[in-house]
Each structure stands twice: as structure tokens, then as C-alpha cells.
Amino acid sequence: MSECLKGTQRKKDNNCTSFKSMERKFVAGAGGACLVAIFTTPFDVVKTRIQTRANCLTASQAFKCIYHNEGVSALWNGLAATFLLEIPRAAFYLTLYDTITHFAHKASFSNQSNSQNVSFLLPALSGLTARSITVVLTSPLEHVRTYLQSSSHQSGIIQTFRTIIHRGGFLALWTGTTVTLYRDVPFSAFYWSSFELLRSFFLTLVDRRQNVNGIKNNSIFWVDFASGMISGSTAAFLTTPIDLLKTRKQTGDGYRNESGKEMWSRVRSEGSGMFRGAVPRMAKVGPACAIMISFYETFKRLLQVETR
């Protein structure tokens, strides 16, 4: 009887520890998201204008147009919506990815014969699963942010919600969700696979150079930063055509009622225009991924959460 009670108590303690760990991971993700939102919003505004305005063909043209006609503050259009979107989204997404990866690792490594193959696919599978769930939950805020950033006339978040619902009904808040999934699922699969591979490679190089048993925390920070930057920038470039579709569908640029096949045909007809906004997108996503993952892992260490 006493053994059963001890076993029950241990299980409760483990559940409590696991819950506290998830709480701290959520806080770590939120902290990184705040920094990312402030730093990357101008690049997002420029990218959105390029993709929705015919007279803004390059990043420099879009930047000058915004600066001269609307002022510097316009580069942070939609920042409030970005905070509302990115903080819970990043915190939930990273916590979910870590949790899925943790349990999948435990399950896969119990079978040593498949551990090598599974460990290679694990980041991709965990990333696309976590991203799919996160996109569906946060799609309305993504829509509101895109709408705000595409317009030179600022309105409040609540007013934008009302405008979107008035024009298309409540479900219009999820306009572009399918296209966002088309963009974010392959992005996440590629990003996490390449990130984990690069991180492992860089850590091996750093460990050899330092010739010590434990790698210093500042070295781990820069390894995470570099791995996130390279993986994020590459994934951002590869998924730019799908991002273009998402932006135009959410801003109603003649795409709202078209099927995915019709939209894709129109974008393909633009040739190299398929990659409109690629430069500011890479300039935003690369540093965003680098800042997010490096500070997330740093905050986890500071909060004494188990790290990879």
C-alpha cells in the first residue's frame, strides 16, 4: 500500500515539474517574441507594401515611399497586432515544438534500431505539427496584422476586426489560413531539420576548438543564433511565392474568391515576380529566427529549464 502511495506521489511530482517546465518555456518564448516583434516589424511592413503596391517594386522604393509619405512611425504599422499575435504564437509554438520533440525522442530512442532514421525526421515532423496547430489558432490575428500593414490609413485593431467581419462574416477572419498552412508547414519542416543539423555541426566545431568538456553559454548562444539565421533565411526565400499568395488573398487584391489553383497560375505568370518581397522577407525572417531561438534557449537556461 505504501509503495502505491509513493508511486502516486512520484507521478504527481513529475506532472508538477513538467507543468512548471512548460510554464517557463512559455515565458521564455514570450520574452524572445517581444524582441523579435520590435526589430522585425519594419521589414514586414516593407515586404507587405511590395507585395500589394504596383509602384513599390524594391525594398528601397517601398522604404522611401513609406518614409516620405507617412513618416518613420509608419514602419511600425500593426505593431500592436504583432505583439498580440507574435507573443502568444511564438510562446505556444516553441513550447509545443519542444514538448512534441521531447516525447517523440523518448518514444523513438526506446527502439534503438530506428533511432537514427527517426531522429533525422523528428525536427521536421515536430515542427510541422506544432506549426499547423499554431496557424489555425492564430490566423485571425495574422489576418488583422496583414490588413493593417497593407494600409497607409491606420485604424485600431478592434475596428479592423469589425471591418473584416462586416465585409465577409465571422469566418472571414480565417481567410488565407489554407495558404498560410501551405507556406508555414514546409517552412517549419525545412527550418527545424536544417536548424538541428546546423546546430549539431556548429556545436561539434566549437567543442573541438575550445577543447573542453562543456561548451560555454556564450558560445551556445552564437551557435543558436547562426543556425537560426541561416535556416530561417533559406526557408524564407524558398517559401516567398506562397507568402505572396497569402498576402494578396488577405488584402483582397483580386484573389479573395479565387481557388488555390487559379491564384497559383496568376502568380506563376509573373515570372520572377513570384519572389516579390523576398529580400525584406529574408531580412525579417532570418534575424527573427536567429533572435527568437537564441534568446528562447538563453531564457530557458536562466529559468533553469531543461535545454537540448
Side-chain angles (χ1 to χ4, degrees):
M1 185 68 175
S2 60
E3 289 299 321
C4 290
L5 290 174
K6 288 179 181 178
T8 303
Q9 185 60 43
R10 280 196 299 269
K11 187 175 181 180
K12 287 182 178 178
D13 290 342
N14 288 337
N15 289 339
C16 185
T17 302
S18 178
F19 182 74
K20 286 181 179 179
S21 176
M22 288 183 67
E23 275 187 327
R24 291 174 179 177
K25 286 178 181 178
F26 198 88
V27 171
C34 287
L35 296 173
V36 168
I38 294 169
F39 178 78
T40 63
T41 294
F43 296 107
D44 213 22
V45 172
V46 169
K47 185 266 299 180
T48 302
R49 296 297 178 87
I50 290 174
Q51 293 179 340
T52 58
R53 304 288 179 88
N55 61 334
C56 295
L57 299 178
T58 66
S60 61
Q61 286 177 342
F63 179 83
K64 289 177 182 178
C65 182
I66 295 168
Y67 177 77
H68 289 299
N69 297 332
E70 302 169 50
V72 175
S73 62
L75 290 168
W76 278 269
N77 278 359
L79 181 60
T82 300
F83 273 128
L84 283 174
L85 170 67
E86 291 298 343
I87 292 175
R89 181 167 72 175
F92 180 77
Y93 173 50
L94 290 170
T95 303
L96 190 58
Y97 172 79
D98 259 358
T99 303
I100 294 171
T101 305
H102 173 72
F103 285 109
H105 262 300
K106 290 178 69 175
S108 65
F109 281 99
S110 63
N111 183 354
Q112 291 297 324
S113 61
N114 293 327
S115 63
Q116 188 172 357
N117 293 331
V118 172
S119 62
F120 178 77
L121 294 172
L122 197 55
L125 295 174
S126 299
L128 66 88
T129 302
R131 197 63 176 183
S132 298
I133 296 170
T134 306
V135 164
V136 173
L137 292 176
T138 61
S139 188
L141 283 170
E142 171 75 26
H143 190 170
V144 169
R145 181 180 68 167
T146 302
Y147 191 96
L148 286 170
Q149 290 178 340
S150 67
S151 175
S152 57
H153 304 289
Q154 278 297 282
S155 56
I157 295 173
I158 301 300
Q159 182 58 44
T160 304
F161 267 112
R162 289 174 178 169
T163 300
I164 294 171
I165 293 172
H166 178 73
R167 289 181 177 179
F170 182 74
L171 291 180
L173 290 170
W174 277 268
T175 298
T177 299
T178 302
V179 182
T180 303
L181 285 169
Y182 287 155
R183 179 196 68 181
D184 285 4
V185 168
F187 176 95
S188 293
F190 179 86
Y191 170 76
W192 284 112
S193 294
S194 57
F195 171 80
E196 297 289 0
L197 288 171
L198 284 170
R199 188 176 194 270
S200 178
F201 173 72
F202 287 145
L203 284 174
T204 302
L205 290 181
V206 171
D207 193 33
R208 287 176 181 171
R209 289 191 63 182
Q210 292 186 351
N211 194 27
V212 293
N213 292 326
I215 301 175
K216 296 177 182 177
N217 282 342
N218 62 333
S219 297
I220 297 176
F221 176 89
W222 290 113
V223 164
D224 289 334
F225 192 93
S227 302
M229 175 74 79
I230 297 170
S231 301
S233 299
T234 306
F237 176 77
L238 294 175
T239 56
T240 293
I242 310 174
D243 181 67
L244 177 62
L245 288 179
K246 180 198 78 74
T247 301
R248 290 184 174 177
K249 189 168 183 66
Q250 289 183 330
T251 55
D253 190 20
Y255 285 67
R256 190 177 295 278
N257 298 318
E258 291 188 357
S259 67
K261 186 176 181 180
E262 290 171 333
M263 290 166 60
W264 183 243
S265 295
R266 284 185 62 180
V267 169
R268 285 187 63 187
S269 68
E270 297 184 24
S272 60
M274 289 172 60
F275 289 89
R276 286 189 70 173
V279 172
R281 176 165 161 76
M282 291 171 68
K284 175 220 170 182
V285 175
C289 289
I291 294 169
M292 186 72 250
I293 194 63
S294 55
F295 277 93
Y296 175 66
E297 293 294 335
T298 299
F299 287 146
K300 278 168 61 179
R301 285 192 290 272
L302 292 174
L303 294 170
Q304 298 180 338
V305 179
E306 179 184 356
T307 55
R308 286 169 289 174

